[in-house]
Amino acid sequence: MAKQTINIGTSANDGTGDTLRDGADKINDNFTELYDGAGVADDSITYSKLAEEFTTIDPLTAGATVDIDFSNAQVYTLTITEATTITFSSVSTGMVKDIIVTGDFALTLPTSLKEISGTYDGTVSNLIQVVSTNGATEQWATISQEAV
């Protein structure tokens, strides 16, 4: 249903606008559409409503330079096969991404990334959790490995 506008006439009480009943009916129809169709009544956030960038895994292809496009997925997996430099693209403030990296080679992270804790250990799987605090300019990361 398209939005229904109440005809208020040319001037007050000139008899050219909608009747009180017709105006109230349009108001009811507009609210019914909002509550039933636009999600006002169902405004809960559920997994099924999330965009793919928050629900998918992107297996990255190894190379000397690997770009992680933050708009593609929530979790990225990478097995490096040579010394690798990671770059980030499509980063926005507030994004949080998980990167799982394995491979016993040197790993260089973006200069915009500030490491809070942990170091990369190529002999095991590493979980690098990245939070963007200022778009492409600044991100913070923790690097963790599975406890043994």
Side-chain angles (χ1 to χ4, degrees), residues 75-121:
V75 177
Y76 300 85
T77 59
L78 173 63
T79 300
I80 60 176
T81 56
E82 61 185 302
T84 301
T85 298
I86 290 180
T87 60
F88 294 153
S89 61
S90 302
V91 182
S92 295
T93 300
M95 288 181 152
V96 177
K97 300 298 176 176
D98 299 317
I99 308 162
I100 301 169
V101 184
T102 57
D104 200 6
F105 297 91
L107 179 68
T108 303
L109 298 169
T111 56
S112 58
L113 186 71
K114 298 179 183 201
E115 295 177 33
I116 299 170
S117 64
T119 56
Y120 179 75
D121 178 353

Side-chain angles (χ1 to χ4, degrees), residues 47 50-61 67-78 88-92 94-100 128-132:
Y47 190 79
L50 295 174
E52 282 191 3
E53 75 178 81
F54 303 110
T55 62
T56 57
I57 297 173
D58 185 2
L60 301 168
T61 303
D67 181 63
I68 297 178
D69 183 338
F70 275 39
S71 66
N72 285 346
Q74 177 60 36
V75 177
Y76 300 85
T77 59
L78 173 63
F88 294 153
S89 61
S90 302
V91 182
S92 295
M95 288 181 152
V96 177
K97 300 298 176 176
D98 299 317
I99 308 162
I100 301 169
I128 304 172
Q129 295 182 305
V130 179
V131 178
S132 174

Side-chain angles (χ1 to χ4, degrees), residues 5-20 22-23 26:
T5 304
I6 298 170
N7 180 351
I8 59 171
T10 309
S11 61
N13 302 318
D14 68 358
T16 61
D18 286 336
T19 65
L20 183 59
D22 288 343
K26 288 180 180 180

